[in-house]
Structures are given as structure tokens and as C-alpha cells.
Amino acid sequence: MTDSFGTKAQLKVGSATYDYFSLATLAKAHPAVNRLPFSLKVLLENLLRNEDGRVVKREHIEKMLAWDPKAAPETEISFHPARVLLQDFTGVPAVVDMAAMREALAAMGGDPAKINPRNPADLVIDHSVQIDSFATTAAFKENAELEFERNRERYAFLRWGQSAFKGFGVVPPDIGICHQVNLEFLAQVTFRQGSTVYPDTLVGTDSHTTMINGLGVVGWGVGGIEAEAALLGQPITMLIPQVVGFKLTGKLPAGATATDLVLTVTQMLRKKGVVGKFVEFYGEGLKALSLPDRATIANMAPEYGATIGFFPVDEESCNYLRFTGRPDDVVALTEAYAKEQGLWLNAGAQEPLFSDTLGLDLAAVVPSLAGPKRPQDRVPLKDMKAGYEASLVEMLSAGKSKGEDDEGPKGAKAPAAPVAPERLAQSVTVKAGKQSYQVGHGAVVIASITSCTNTSNPAVLVAAGILAKNAVEKGLKPQPWVKTSLAPGSRVVTEYLRDAGLLPYLEAVGFHVVGYGCTTCIGNSGPLPEAVSNAVVEGDLVVAAVLSGNRNFEGRINPHVRMNYLASPPLVVAYALAGEVGRDLDNEPLGTDPNGRPVFLKDIWPSNEEIKETIRTAVKPEQFRSQYANAMEGDTLWQQLPVGKGSTFKWDEKSTYVRKPPFFENLPKEPKAVQDIKGARVLALLGDSVTTDHISPAGNIAKTSPAAKYLMAEGVEPKDFNSYGARRGNHEVMVRGTFANIRLKNLLVPGVEGGVTVHIPTRERMSIYDASMKYQADNIPLVVLAGAEYGTGSSRDWAAKGTQLLGVKAVIAKSFERIHRSNLVGMGVLPLQFEAGQDAQSLGLTGHETFEITGVADGLAPQKKLTVKAVGEKGPIEFTAVCRIDTPNELDYYRNGGILQYVLRQLAKA
């Protein structure tokens, strides 16, 4: 390391002495350090510690010191996270790639055991459990057994990885949700590597990685390729962000929960506009928030659009570390380091400089829900009846509306039509066993206490338990059409609910533990009871889910459920009792007691004092210590999985879940010189705003798709297709699903939507996958032509991996989303940008031309202008395009065919 600012120093804590890079030393010469937001101080320390004169230069640090809060971000820096957090859906491909890298290194004559995460990584298996069984004491066991039955191949592979890789931990199924496990167990706040200490930072393969910001840890969600880069010790490129300060004052009133607060914050920040920015919370209101309250707010940063939602380290952070069983030396180091570095929040200290600010008096927060389709659409509880009625009319008059997860213009609706009164009042008689009941519009068919957003917070879980107790004592029961579930984010929750004597009452109203994972929040709600789903279809009913989750887009929670409302856990229980979202819970009863007297929500709502006293007596540090002492060992189902021996994985050629990827086949020790691209054909001609959802395989596997044909040829029946997400470890499935989105508009086949193209030499229309295979069989390279904002949306690794496997050598676009551009380079695909004012249409390109791209072989450099020549029926069209390889590091990746190949060769040389 260079340390051109001379900031390396030593810190003594107790009997130990540590090396660190001192922000206080830097501040003596550069006082601007003291007014930086805390989150930017963490980035500044990261630059100081990793300064090497090449990837991190002195000029990058100087740019941070000269940060202008009001200026639009333009300076790109390299961020080196301390560790990586993976969940099983997005983490499996990374482990598959590392396993394949081991074989490739062995083929080069190297030691395969050298392939390990260069930065510590933890994978938490939390995305696979589904709620098939519910409202019974056997639900957890039955769901866990089904989970293992469906995912045995993936789990056996991960169990091998758990033992084969150093620096790689696997938290087995049925332990908890990755973000809650991170908060309660994995995060250190101050990281130690050898004798050096620095802030704990991370990237994760799930957007809600930001939950850890509540503990004072900088971290956010990234795509799989960025995560693999971080795993292998490579930096994450980012722009120095603007930072919006959110000032909190006062304290929450009686009856308001942290869920109500985060829904209010989400609504405010969405209105403000914080996409691509850091949000940092400050103000005297912070001391009124518990650490779990802060984590609840930080968790929903993706919903309010920020990169992070950060709370600085303070006394509450250390109290939480201590309470959750972290060792005393970890807590002492965190406090000493944060105070020494100016990363500790002192009451009354001068406020940082922010790009913009807004504020909230916590006393103004009221009980709320959010929905029916977006997390930012907050509805105060008192307005729920009117809000529901308006949404119902809108949905019925517009037909099938487009949810935010659907493709197409945001908010697009069919023309409204009047709704007849009898349609609004429509209901269907359901007969289930000896029961008979009416289900109509607005019926709550799913009520789920789910998601790390809320199940990490004892205050709202205990509130739900006390409300259930009060309801049972009043003689209330859930409605028979409601599918109820309790899916805690960790086993600690079950333990303290049991110790508080509240679990039996939750079970009495149908909220039995169904599993420890994301469940309903990510759409793993499982099927509705057949009688209920049949009624929904028969009556074309608009029914509802109420869940304590963070996302509620239409169609996400269950295919039969169009209205989805986010709510606090106690309100989830209340709506299970009411059975409909169209009831005014402030003024209409939930039900009646055995004597026929009405019971209102206010009659069973717990007081703040009751909640606090229950937490004080029932939530204990030993619960965290005991539950996490053996968290990595797993249960009997996990321990009985077969574990392959050896440093390389024994691939099963019959597996349709985990296959050896082709990225390293016949890889030479030295990369071949990069070549100009000649004789290329266009695989797809695309317009503006093509998202990673259009490109990347996602969701269910359609029965007529190329992926389905492959699976059926492998003997997999349609009922066992599972999803693209579950099969991310099999490139054969994923490449067939790339560019297969039903909403994709390939202008080579105008008027047609879906993964279809024209094989230009034969003029034959076929799937994009089939056309790719024909081109590759003839050794014809491919290009994609696109408009503005190519690759927007969530960062998805297979949007780049699939593109590469389809034989695409270059993407020429009007502009790129920053991360997808980087991912293309990371997979060895050349991103080219049309010159300003030009695009395929203005240049007269039809996509039927043959393309030649020159300037690649001769002195390729970041931002170099390359010459593109397209020869078609009307003659040649020649233009220049900017090579969007933007950094020296990225040039290394491209010359090696991708980031994984680059790292592999570096290890082979070592």
C-alpha cells in the first residue's frame, strides 16, 4: 500500500495493539474530513487503506476530500468491501463458479485448494422454504422436509462448499433470514484482519443487505458478478454519492410501531427522490429508536430508492452487540475504534454537511399499511376502508392492471369502465369440509408475519403475541379463509415468544411457525387452500394479503392475490381476525366475544408499557448465544446430506440444478491477444429502457420455452420445473432463459413480444437461444444493438453471463446502466456506446447487416473510440463508438475474457 497521506497509525485497546489508517491524522491537514457524513468517512478510510497508485490513487482520495455535497456525482472510485453476504438463490452460481475455477487451476498445474474467497463470505440458505403446511404444530417439520426434498441437489453442493472452501461459511436451512442472521450474529462493526482494524463493510447478493446499516455498517445489495468480484478480492466500482440527511426528532406515540415509521419514511423518501444516493439519519430522535427499530428503517432502503440508509455507530450499537452475545473484546474494540476515527455519534456534535435534508417528528407517525401494489403507497389505518374501496374500483374498472414488477410503461392502465354495484358486492360460497362461508372482494386470504424487515424487531413481534393473547381471551378466532403463518427471521424469535408465554396464543389464532426463511415476502407463500383459490377464480375476485414484509407488487405474493398490504405484525394478526381489508378497524369491530359483544382493535391492542416489560423479562442475551453457538452445523436433515470428499467437486452429469459451467474450458495460462470483431450478426435489435428483467432469466419456467424443452429432455416433468431462481446453478437452463422475457420487444421481429429473433442468413424466425446456437455452430460472432438506459433495473449476474454464453461479443447501445455495463466487461463482452446524437435508427441500421468492429486489437484502452462498419443490402454504414471499458482494471478483465479468468490466471502465476 502507498499511504501517500501518512495516515497509518496504531491503536491500543486493552492489552492489544492494532494498525489502522487514521482519519484524525488526515483531518489535521484536511479539516473537511470532520464535516463529511459518517457514511462517506467509511468510504474515505477504505480509500486510504487500499491506496496502491493504480486502482486507488491519491487523486481519488483528494476527490473525496474535496466532496461537493451539491454536485452531481462524477468521480468513480474503487470500494473494497471487507466481506460478502450471499443468499442461496443468488449465491449458488458464485459457488459453482469457484468450484469450476478449482478444476481449471488444477488443469493449469496449480493447486486447486488455492481457490477460496479472498474476502470472507457467508451464505445463508433462506430463499427456498415455501409455506405448504400452515396452522398446525406440524407445519414447520412438514415444510422443512419438503424444502429438502425439492432442493437436495443444491443443498448437497453447498454442504460440500461449506467444508471445501476456506473463509466460506454456510448457514444451513431453517436457521434464519440472511439479513437477520447478519444483524444478530455475523456483523462485527469493526473488522479485524491480522493486526489491522477497519470498519466492517460488505456487499450482499440481496437488495435488503442494507438492513445492517442500522448497526453502523456500510453495505448494500449487488448483483452476482459484483459479489463474485468481491469474493475474489476485486473492488466494486462506484461513484462518490450524494448524501441526503434525514433528521429525526421526538419519539413514537403510543400505538405506533417501527413498521408504521418505516412506511412513513419510505413514502417521504420516494417523494423526495433518493435513487443512487446515500441516506444518513441524524438528529435527537435517534436516541428514541432501538437498534432493531433502526434496522427496520435501514432494511427498506431499496423501497425508498437509496443505496444505503445509514445510522452511525453510538452507544445503542454497542449495547446491541453486547446484548446479542458478541464477545466483550469485539464490543470494546468497536467503541474505541469508532471514537478514535470520528465515526462515533456524539450527542450535540456539529451536524455533517449533506447534499439535501428532510425531517420527521416521530410523534407524527400513525398506524399505517402500504399498498395495494407498492411499498411507498402508505395508507393510514383510519383511511384503509376508503383506500381499499377506491383501489377495488380502480382494479375492477381497469381489468388486469400492470404492477410495478410487470414490463411496460409504469402505471399503464386499460381504459376505465364503470363498475356495477353487484360486481362490487360479488362473493362466492365456499364449502370446505363441514364449513361453509362467503368469500368476496377484499377478503384477506393470506395473513403472514414474515420478512427480516419486521421479524428482527422484538417490539413488533411481542406486540403481535400480546394482541393474539388478548384476542384469544376475548374469544376471537381467525376467519376460515385466511392462510395464516409465522416465519421468524431467526430461531431467537421463537425462543423469546415461547419464554414470554405468547407462542401458544399466536398458535391459537393460526400463527404457527412455518419455517425460518423469507417465505411470503418473496412469493413463497405456497398455494392457497384449493376451495379458496377456486372461489377466487370462479368469482374473479380481488382478494388481499396482509404481510409484515417489504415488497408487495401485484402478483408477487401469490398469483391469485392482487391486493397486497404491508403492515406491522400486530396488524397482520388483527386483519386475520377481521378477515377483510375493507373494514374500518378504528370504528368497526374485529368480531364478537362469546356473549355477542363487539370487540374492537383498541380493546386488544397492547400498551407500550406492556410491550417493554415483556421484552425486559423475556428477551435475553443467552437466547442469542445459545441459538447461534452451533448455527453452522444445521439440523439432522442437513447433517444427513452426502458430502463429497476432496478439494474439487464431483459434478453429477444427471443433475439439472448444479452443472459445471463452461467459462473455463480449455483456458490457456496466458490470454490470447484481443481481436477485432469481424463478420458479426445482430442477435437482437432493442429499443430504449431494456431492463435486466428483460434480459435475465427470472420467475417460473414457461412450458413452451427452450429451458422447458431442455428440462423435459432431461426427464424433468413440468410440475418439477421449479423456477429459474432455483436453477441458477445450471447454465444450460439459464442460457436458454436469457432474453426470453415475454415482454421483450426485438425489433428484428416487429409486433412480436418474447424471446424471438430472426436468423438473418436463412430469414427464419426462431427463439433467440436457437438462433444463437445456429450462429455459434457456424462460428459467427454476435452483437446486440440497443437504445438508451440499456440494462437498467436490478443488477442480475445472468443478464451478463447469459449474454456471453449466447455468443454475444459486443453490445452497442445509446447508453448503459452503470452496473450492467461493468458486468458485461466482467464477462468479457465489449460494451460500446454510440456517439452523442446517434443510435441505430439515426444511422439507418436495420439489424440485417454484417458488422465489423476495429480498433480492438490495436491498442485498446479505456474510453477509446472504435470504428464500426455495418454492411447491408444498401451498402456500408461506418461510424465510431466509444469503448465503455472505463478503468485499467476493467481492461485487464476484458483482455482475459472476464474477471473470473483474470483472477484465475493471477492465482496460477502466484
Coordinates of all heavy atoms in Angstrom, one line a residue, residues 53-82:
G53 N -1.9 3.3 -5.9 CA -1.3 4.0 -7.0 C -1.9 3.6 -8.4 O -1.6 4.2 -9.4
R54 N -2.6 2.6 -8.4 CA -3.2 2.1 -9.7 C -4.7 2.0 -9.6 O -5.4 2.7 -10.3 CB -2.6 0.7 -10.0 CG -3.1 0.2 -11.4 CD -2.4 -1.2 -11.7 NE -2.7 -1.6 -13.1 CZ -3.8 -2.4 -13.3 NH1 -4.6 -2.8 -12.3 NH2 -4.1 -2.7 -14.6
V55 N -5.2 1.1 -8.8 CA -6.7 1.0 -8.7 C -7.2 2.1 -7.8 O -8.2 2.8 -8.1 CB -7.1 -0.4 -8.1 CG1 -8.6 -0.5 -7.9 CG2 -6.6 -1.5 -9.0
V56 N -6.6 2.4 -6.7 CA -6.9 3.5 -5.8 C -5.7 4.5 -5.8 O -4.6 4.1 -5.3 CB -7.2 3.0 -4.3 CG1 -7.5 4.3 -3.5 CG2 -8.4 2.1 -4.3
K57 N -5.9 5.7 -6.4 CA -4.9 6.6 -6.5 C -5.1 7.8 -5.5 O -6.2 8.0 -5.0 CB -4.9 7.2 -7.9 CG -4.7 6.1 -9.0 CD -4.8 6.8 -10.4 CE -4.6 5.7 -11.5 NZ -4.7 6.3 -12.8
R58 N -4.0 8.5 -5.3 CA -4.1 9.7 -4.4 C -5.2 10.7 -4.9 O -5.9 11.2 -4.1 CB -2.7 10.4 -4.4 CG -2.7 11.6 -3.5 CD -1.4 12.4 -3.5 NE -1.4 13.6 -2.7 CZ -1.1 13.7 -1.5 NH1 -0.7 12.6 -0.8 NH2 -1.2 14.8 -0.8
E59 N -5.3 10.8 -6.2 CA -6.4 11.7 -6.7 C -7.8 11.3 -6.3 O -8.6 12.1 -6.1 CB -6.2 11.8 -8.2 CG -6.6 10.5 -9.0 CD -6.2 10.6 -10.4 OE1 -5.0 10.7 -10.7 OE2 -7.1 10.5 -11.3
H60 N -8.0 10.0 -6.1 CA -9.3 9.5 -5.7 C -9.6 10.0 -4.2 O -10.7 10.5 -3.9 CB -9.4 8.0 -5.7 CG -9.3 7.4 -7.1 ND1 -8.6 6.3 -7.4 CD2 -9.9 7.8 -8.2 CE1 -8.7 6.1 -8.7 NE2 -9.5 7.0 -9.2
I61 N -8.6 10.0 -3.4 CA -8.7 10.4 -2.0 C -8.9 11.9 -2.0 O -9.7 12.5 -1.2 CB -7.5 10.0 -1.2 CG1 -7.4 8.5 -1.2 CG2 -7.5 10.6 0.2 CD1 -6.0 7.9 -0.6
E62 N -8.2 12.6 -2.9 CA -8.3 14.1 -2.9 C -9.7 14.5 -3.4 O -10.3 15.5 -2.9 CB -7.2 14.7 -3.9 CG -5.8 14.6 -3.3 CD -4.7 14.9 -4.4 OE1 -5.1 14.9 -5.6 OE2 -3.6 15.2 -4.0
K63 N -10.3 13.7 -4.3 CA -11.6 14.0 -4.8 C -12.6 13.8 -3.6 O -13.6 14.6 -3.5 CB -12.0 13.0 -5.9 CG -11.3 13.3 -7.2 CD -12.0 14.5 -8.0 CE -11.5 14.6 -9.4 NZ -12.1 15.7 -10.1
M64 N -12.4 12.8 -2.8 CA -13.3 12.6 -1.6 C -13.1 13.8 -0.6 O -14.1 14.3 -0.1 CB -13.0 11.3 -0.9 CG -13.9 11.0 0.2 SD -15.6 10.6 -0.3 CE -15.4 8.8 -0.7
L65 N -11.9 14.2 -0.4 CA -11.7 15.4 0.5 C -12.3 16.6 0.0 O -12.7 17.5 0.7 CB -10.2 15.6 0.7 CG -9.5 14.4 1.5 CD1 -7.9 14.6 1.4 CD2 -9.9 14.4 2.9
A66 N -12.4 16.7 -1.4 CA -13.0 17.9 -2.0 C -14.5 17.7 -2.3 O -15.0 18.5 -3.1 CB -12.2 18.3 -3.2
W67 N -15.1 16.8 -1.7 CA -16.5 16.4 -2.0 C -17.4 17.6 -1.9 O -17.4 18.3 -0.9 CB -17.0 15.3 -1.0 CG -18.4 14.9 -1.2 CD1 -18.9 14.2 -2.2 CD2 -19.5 15.1 -0.3 NE1 -20.3 14.0 -2.0 CE2 -20.7 14.5 -0.8 CE3 -19.6 15.7 1.0 CZ2 -21.9 14.5 -0.2 CZ3 -20.9 15.7 1.6 CH2 -22.0 15.1 1.0
D68 N -18.1 17.9 -3.0 CA -19.1 19.0 -3.0 C -20.5 18.3 -2.9 O -21.0 17.6 -3.7 CB -19.0 19.7 -4.4 CG -20.0 20.8 -4.5 OD1 -20.9 21.0 -3.6 OD2 -20.0 21.5 -5.5
P69 N -21.1 18.6 -1.7 CA -22.4 17.9 -1.4 C -23.5 18.2 -2.5 O -24.4 17.3 -2.7 CB -22.9 18.5 -0.1 CG -21.6 19.1 0.5 CD -20.8 19.5 -0.6
K70 N -23.4 19.3 -3.2 CA -24.4 19.7 -4.1 C -24.2 19.2 -5.5 O -25.0 19.2 -6.4 CB -24.6 21.2 -4.1 CG -25.0 21.8 -2.8 CD -26.4 21.3 -2.3 CE -26.7 22.0 -1.0 NZ -28.0 21.5 -0.5
A71 N -22.9 18.8 -5.8 CA -22.5 18.5 -7.2 C -23.1 17.1 -7.6 O -23.1 16.2 -6.7 CB -21.0 18.5 -7.3
A72 N -23.4 17.0 -8.8 CA -23.8 15.7 -9.4 C -22.6 14.7 -9.3 O -21.5 15.1 -9.6 CB -24.3 15.8 -10.8
P73 N -22.8 13.5 -8.9 CA -21.7 12.5 -8.8 C -21.1 12.3 -10.2 O -21.7 12.1 -11.2 CB -22.4 11.2 -8.3 CG -23.6 11.7 -7.6 CD -24.1 12.9 -8.4
E74 N -19.7 12.4 -10.2 CA -19.0 12.1 -11.4 C -17.7 11.4 -11.2 O -17.1 10.9 -12.2 CB -18.7 13.4 -12.2 CG -17.9 14.4 -11.4 CD -17.6 15.7 -12.1 OE1 -18.3 15.9 -13.2 OE2 -16.8 16.5 -11.7
T75 N -17.2 11.3 -10.0 CA -15.9 10.7 -9.7 C -16.1 9.2 -9.3 O -16.8 8.9 -8.4 CB -15.2 11.4 -8.5 OG1 -15.0 12.7 -8.8 CG2 -13.9 10.7 -8.2
E76 N -15.5 8.3 -10.1 CA -15.6 6.9 -9.9 C -14.5 6.4 -9.0 O -13.3 6.8 -9.2 CB -15.6 6.1 -11.2 CG -16.0 4.7 -11.0 CD -16.3 4.0 -12.4 OE1 -15.3 3.7 -13.0 OE2 -17.5 3.9 -12.8
I77 N -14.8 5.7 -7.9 CA -13.8 5.1 -7.0 C -14.0 3.6 -6.9 O -15.0 3.1 -7.4 CB -13.9 5.8 -5.6 CG1 -15.3 5.5 -5.0 CG2 -13.6 7.3 -5.6 CD1 -15.5 5.9 -3.6
S78 N -13.0 3.0 -6.4 CA -13.0 1.5 -6.1 C -13.2 1.3 -4.7 O -12.4 1.7 -3.8 CB -11.7 0.9 -6.6 OG -11.6 1.0 -8.0
F79 N -14.2 0.6 -4.3 CA -14.6 0.3 -3.0 C -14.3 -1.2 -2.7 O -14.7 -2.1 -3.5 CB -16.1 0.5 -2.8 CG -16.7 0.0 -1.5 CD1 -16.3 0.5 -0.3 CD2 -17.7 -1.0 -1.5 CE1 -16.8 0.1 0.9 CE2 -18.2 -1.4 -0.3 CZ -17.8 -0.9 0.9
H80 N -13.5 -1.5 -1.7 CA -13.1 -2.8 -1.3 C -13.9 -3.3 0.0 O -13.5 -2.9 1.1 CB -11.6 -2.9 -1.0 CG -10.7 -2.7 -2.2 ND1 -10.5 -1.4 -2.8 CD2 -10.0 -3.5 -3.0 CE1 -9.7 -1.5 -3.8 NE2 -9.4 -2.8 -3.9
P81 N -15.0 -4.0 -0.2 CA -15.7 -4.4 1.0 C -14.9 -5.5 1.8 O -14.1 -6.2 1.2 CB -17.0 -5.1 0.4 CG -16.6 -5.5 -1.0 CD -15.6 -4.5 -1.5
A82 N -15.2 -5.5 3.1 CA -14.5 -6.4 4.0 C -14.9 -7.8 3.8 O -14.2 -8.8 4.0 CB -14.6 -5.9 5.4

